Amino acid sequence: DARSADRYARLAVTTAAPTPELAPPSRTHALTLGAIVFVATMLRFWGLDYGLPQTQCRPDESVVVENAVAMQTGSLRPNFLNYPTAYIYTCAAVYAVMRHCSWLWPEGRTQGAREFAEQAVLDPSWVYLPNRVLSGLAGVLTVLAVWSLARRFLAPPAALAAALFMAVMPLAVRQSHFGLTDAPAVLLVTLSLVKLADAARNGTTRAFILAGV
Protein backbone atom coordinates (compact mmCIF):
# COMPACT_ATOMS: atom_id res chain seq x y z
CA ASP A 1 0.00 0.00 0.00
CA ALA A 2 0.96 3.70 -0.03
CA ARG A 3 2.25 3.68 3.54
CA SER A 4 4.53 0.67 2.90
CA ALA A 5 5.87 2.27 -0.27
CA ASP A 6 6.59 5.49 1.59
CA ARG A 7 8.35 3.59 4.37
CA TYR A 8 10.57 1.70 1.90
CA ALA A 9 11.35 4.93 0.05
CA ARG A 10 12.47 6.62 3.28
CA LEU A 11 14.55 3.53 4.18
CA ALA A 12 16.25 3.62 0.78
CA VAL A 13 17.14 7.27 1.21
CA THR A 14 18.50 6.58 4.70
CA THR A 15 20.66 3.64 3.65
CA ALA A 16 21.95 5.42 0.56
CA ALA A 17 23.09 8.46 2.50
CA PRO A 18 26.87 8.48 2.92
CA THR A 19 28.21 8.01 6.43
CA PRO A 20 31.14 9.95 7.87
CA GLU A 21 34.63 8.78 7.06
CA LEU A 22 36.47 6.78 9.68
CA ALA A 23 38.63 8.91 11.94
CA PRO A 24 42.38 8.22 11.69
CA PRO A 25 43.71 6.10 14.56
CA SER A 26 45.43 7.78 17.46
CA ARG A 27 49.19 7.53 17.95
CA THR A 28 48.78 4.99 20.75
CA HIS A 29 46.39 2.96 18.65
CA ALA A 30 48.78 2.98 15.67
CA LEU A 31 51.73 1.94 17.84
CA THR A 32 49.73 -0.89 19.36
CA LEU A 33 48.68 -2.06 15.91
CA GLY A 34 52.31 -1.92 14.80
CA ALA A 35 53.30 -4.14 17.72
CA ILE A 36 50.56 -6.63 16.81
CA VAL A 37 51.74 -6.70 13.18
CA PHE A 38 55.30 -7.26 14.38
CA VAL A 39 54.17 -10.24 16.47
CA ALA A 40 52.21 -11.59 13.50
CA THR A 41 55.27 -11.23 11.25
CA MET A 42 57.58 -13.00 13.68
CA LEU A 43 55.15 -15.88 14.17
CA ARG A 44 54.68 -16.36 10.44
CA PHE A 45 58.28 -16.06 9.32
CA TRP A 46 60.02 -17.83 12.18
CA GLY A 47 60.93 -21.31 10.97
CA LEU A 48 59.76 -20.60 7.43
CA ASP A 49 62.33 -23.09 6.11
CA TYR A 50 60.79 -25.93 8.12
CA GLY A 51 61.52 -29.31 6.54
CA LEU A 52 63.53 -28.01 3.60
CA PRO A 53 65.17 -29.23 1.45
CA GLN A 54 62.81 -32.16 2.05
CA THR A 55 59.62 -31.27 0.20
CA GLN A 56 57.18 -33.80 1.65
CA CYS A 57 56.65 -32.18 5.05
CA ARG A 58 53.65 -30.56 3.39
CA PRO A 59 53.07 -32.47 0.13
CA ASP A 60 50.43 -30.06 -1.21
CA GLU A 61 53.09 -27.39 -1.69
CA SER A 62 54.56 -29.34 -4.60
CA VAL A 63 51.38 -28.79 -6.61
CA VAL A 64 51.85 -25.02 -6.53
CA VAL A 65 55.63 -25.09 -6.96
CA GLU A 66 55.80 -27.61 -9.78
CA ASN A 67 53.12 -25.86 -11.81
CA ALA A 68 54.73 -22.45 -11.28
CA VAL A 69 58.14 -23.80 -12.31
CA ALA A 70 56.65 -25.49 -15.39
CA MET A 71 55.21 -22.14 -16.49
CA GLN A 72 58.74 -20.81 -16.93
CA THR A 73 58.91 -22.75 -20.21
CA GLY A 74 56.27 -20.46 -21.73
CA SER A 75 53.12 -22.53 -21.24
CA LEU A 76 50.79 -20.73 -18.84
CA ARG A 77 48.32 -23.56 -18.55
CA PRO A 78 48.46 -25.17 -15.08
CA ASN A 79 48.14 -28.94 -14.96
CA PHE A 80 46.17 -28.84 -11.71
CA LEU A 81 42.88 -26.97 -11.47
CA ASN A 82 41.63 -28.10 -8.07
CA TYR A 83 43.23 -24.99 -6.53
CA PRO A 84 42.45 -21.40 -7.54
CA THR A 85 45.10 -20.59 -10.13
CA ALA A 86 45.73 -16.92 -9.28
CA TYR A 87 48.21 -17.89 -6.59
CA ILE A 88 50.02 -20.29 -8.92
CA TYR A 89 50.35 -17.51 -11.50
CA THR A 90 51.65 -15.17 -8.79
CA CYS A 91 54.35 -17.69 -7.85
CA ALA A 92 55.21 -18.12 -11.54
CA ALA A 93 55.66 -14.35 -11.86
CA VAL A 94 57.96 -14.31 -8.83
CA TYR A 95 60.02 -17.15 -10.31
CA ALA A 96 60.28 -15.29 -13.62
CA VAL A 97 61.69 -12.27 -11.79
CA MET A 98 64.11 -14.51 -9.90
CA ARG A 99 65.38 -16.07 -13.12
CA HIS A 100 66.33 -12.65 -14.44
CA CYS A 101 68.10 -11.47 -11.26
CA SER A 102 71.68 -12.47 -12.05
CA TRP A 103 72.92 -11.56 -8.56
CA LEU A 104 70.88 -14.44 -7.12
CA TRP A 105 72.86 -17.10 -8.94
CA PRO A 106 76.44 -18.31 -8.36
CA GLU A 107 77.32 -17.91 -12.04
CA GLY A 108 76.32 -14.26 -11.95
CA ARG A 109 73.97 -14.56 -14.93
CA THR A 110 70.29 -15.03 -15.60
CA GLN A 111 68.78 -18.49 -15.66
CA GLY A 112 66.95 -20.11 -18.55
CA ALA A 113 63.78 -22.09 -17.88
CA ARG A 114 65.64 -25.39 -18.09
CA GLU A 115 68.45 -24.24 -15.79
CA PHE A 116 65.93 -22.90 -13.32
CA ALA A 117 64.07 -26.22 -13.26
CA GLU A 118 67.35 -28.10 -12.75
CA GLN A 119 68.26 -25.81 -9.86
CA ALA A 120 64.83 -26.43 -8.33
CA VAL A 121 65.54 -30.16 -8.38
CA LEU A 122 69.06 -29.81 -6.95
CA ASP A 123 67.97 -27.48 -4.15
CA PRO A 124 64.19 -27.17 -3.77
CA SER A 125 64.65 -24.44 -1.15
CA TRP A 126 65.23 -21.99 -4.02
CA VAL A 127 61.61 -22.30 -5.14
CA TYR A 128 59.85 -23.34 -1.94
CA LEU A 129 61.04 -20.44 0.20
CA PRO A 130 59.77 -17.64 -2.10
CA ASN A 131 56.46 -19.45 -2.24
CA ARG A 132 56.28 -19.56 1.54
CA VAL A 133 57.27 -15.90 1.78
CA LEU A 134 54.25 -14.97 -0.35
CA SER A 135 52.00 -17.00 1.92
CA GLY A 136 53.54 -15.43 5.02
CA LEU A 137 53.03 -11.93 3.64
CA ALA A 138 49.41 -12.77 2.92
CA GLY A 139 49.02 -13.90 6.52
CA VAL A 140 50.46 -10.66 7.88
CA LEU A 141 48.30 -8.53 5.59
CA THR A 142 45.24 -10.47 6.75
CA VAL A 143 45.86 -9.19 10.28
CA LEU A 144 45.65 -5.64 8.96
CA ALA A 145 42.58 -6.51 6.92
CA VAL A 146 40.83 -7.94 9.99
CA TRP A 147 41.66 -4.78 11.92
CA SER A 148 40.33 -2.64 9.07
CA LEU A 149 37.11 -4.65 8.95
CA ALA A 150 36.60 -4.60 12.72
CA ARG A 151 37.10 -0.84 13.08
CA ARG A 152 34.19 -0.28 10.71
CA PHE A 153 31.81 -1.89 13.20
CA LEU A 154 33.50 -1.87 16.61
CA ALA A 155 35.26 0.47 19.00
CA PRO A 156 39.04 0.95 18.47
CA PRO A 157 40.05 -1.37 21.34
CA ALA A 158 37.85 -4.13 19.93
CA ALA A 159 39.43 -3.69 16.49
CA LEU A 160 42.87 -4.12 18.06
CA ALA A 161 41.65 -7.22 19.88
CA ALA A 162 40.41 -8.68 16.61
CA ALA A 163 43.79 -8.05 14.98
CA LEU A 164 45.58 -9.61 17.94
CA PHE A 165 43.44 -12.74 17.84
CA MET A 166 44.14 -13.09 14.12
CA ALA A 167 47.86 -12.52 14.68
CA VAL A 168 48.23 -15.38 17.15
CA MET A 169 45.55 -17.79 15.89
CA PRO A 170 47.39 -21.14 15.65
CA LEU A 171 45.71 -22.32 12.44
CA ALA A 172 46.30 -18.99 10.69
CA VAL A 173 49.96 -19.02 11.75
CA ARG A 174 50.47 -22.60 10.60
CA GLN A 175 48.84 -22.10 7.20
CA SER A 176 50.96 -18.99 6.59
CA HIS A 177 54.11 -21.11 6.93
CA PHE A 178 53.33 -23.11 3.80
CA GLY A 179 53.06 -22.00 0.20
CA LEU A 180 49.45 -22.94 -0.39
CA THR A 181 46.33 -21.07 -1.40
CA ASP A 182 44.91 -20.96 2.14
CA ALA A 183 46.46 -17.75 3.48
CA PRO A 184 46.03 -15.76 0.23
CA ALA A 185 42.39 -16.90 -0.02
CA VAL A 186 41.64 -15.73 3.53
CA LEU A 187 43.26 -12.38 2.75
CA LEU A 188 41.19 -11.85 -0.39
CA VAL A 189 37.94 -12.84 1.33
CA THR A 190 38.66 -10.46 4.22
CA LEU A 191 39.47 -7.59 1.85
CA SER A 192 36.21 -8.27 0.03
CA LEU A 193 34.34 -8.05 3.34
CA VAL A 194 36.05 -4.72 4.06
CA LYS A 195 34.77 -3.28 0.79
CA LEU A 196 31.32 -4.79 1.35
CA ALA A 197 31.27 -3.01 4.70
CA ASP A 198 32.11 0.23 2.91
CA ALA A 199 29.36 -0.46 0.40
CA ALA A 200 26.88 -0.98 3.24
CA ARG A 201 28.00 2.26 4.86
CA ASN A 202 28.10 4.47 1.78
CA GLY A 203 26.32 2.58 -0.97
CA THR A 204 28.89 3.62 -3.57
CA THR A 205 29.28 1.74 -6.84
CA ARG A 206 33.06 1.80 -6.44
CA ALA A 207 32.87 -0.09 -3.15
CA PHE A 208 30.66 -2.77 -4.68
CA ILE A 209 33.00 -3.17 -7.65
CA LEU A 210 36.08 -3.46 -5.42
CA ALA A 211 34.29 -6.01 -3.24
CA GLY A 212 33.63 -8.13 -6.31
CA VAL A 213 37.15 -7.79 -7.64
Side-chain angles (χ1 to χ4, degrees), residues 50-58 61 124-125 128 132:
Y50 169 76
L52 296 176
Q54 303 299 322
T55 61
Q56 295 304 307
C57 63
R58 187 64 188 268
E61 282 185 299
S125 300
Y128 277 78
R132 292 182 178 184

Side-chain angles (χ1 to χ4, degrees), residues 62-73 75 78 87-93 95-96 116 131:
S62 61
V63 173
V64 175
V65 170
E66 290 172 4
N67 277 276
V69 170
M71 288 180 181
Q72 305 309 305
T73 62
S75 173
Y87 184 66
I88 297 176
Y89 285 120
T90 303
C91 289
Y95 294 162
F116 186 80
N131 183 22

Side-chain angles (χ1 to χ4, degrees), residues 2-200:
R3 285 181 299 178
S4 297
D6 180 65
R7 184 168 65 252
Y8 285 125
R10 284 187 280 107
L11 179 62
V13 171
T14 303
T15 55
T19 55
E21 293 294 327
L22 293 171
S26 66
R27 177 180 174 83
T28 302
H29 187 99
L31 289 174
T32 305
L33 178 62
I36 292 172
V37 171
F38 176 77
V39 171
T41 304
M42 292 299 295
L43 289 175
R44 283 156 178 77
F45 284 88
W46 187 273
L48 201 64
D49 59 347
Y50 169 76
L52 296 176
Q54 303 299 322
T55 61
Q56 295 304 307
C57 63
R58 187 64 188 268
D60 294 350
E61 282 185 299
S62 61
V63 173
V64 175
V65 170
E66 290 172 4
N67 277 276
V69 170
M71 288 180 181
Q72 305 309 305
T73 62
S75 173
L76 297 180
R77 183 182 184 279
N79 296 317
F80 186 84
L81 299 176
N82 290 5
Y83 290 167
T85 55
Y87 184 66
I88 297 176
Y89 285 120
T90 303
C91 289
V94 170
Y95 294 162
V97 172
M98 290 173 57
R99 288 199 300 112
H100 291 87
C101 292
S102 57
W103 53 271
L104 282 175
W105 308 102
E107 300 87 352
R109 59 182 178 82
T110 59
Q111 298 282 302
R114 182 183 181 86
E115 294 171 309
F116 186 80
E118 291 174 350
Q119 181 65 37
V121 172
L122 293 174
D123 185 4
S125 300
W126 275 100
V127 287
Y128 277 78
L129 272 178
N131 183 22
R132 292 182 178 184
V133 167
L134 287 177
S135 184
L137 287 174
V140 173
L141 291 175
T142 301
V143 174
L144 289 171
V146 167
W147 167 80
S148 182
L149 178 63
R151 73 189 294 257
R152 283 161 167 75
F153 298 99
L154 306 172
L160 289 175
L164 178 60
F165 289 146
M166 190 66 194
V168 300
M169 185 185 299
L171 182 60
V173 172
R174 190 194 72 172
Q175 295 303 98
S176 297
H177 272 81
F178 299 107
L180 300 169
T181 58
D182 302 59
V186 172
L187 171 62
L188 292 177
V189 168
T190 308
L191 290 175
S192 180
L193 290 174
V194 170
K195 300 317 296 181
L196 281 174
D198 288 342

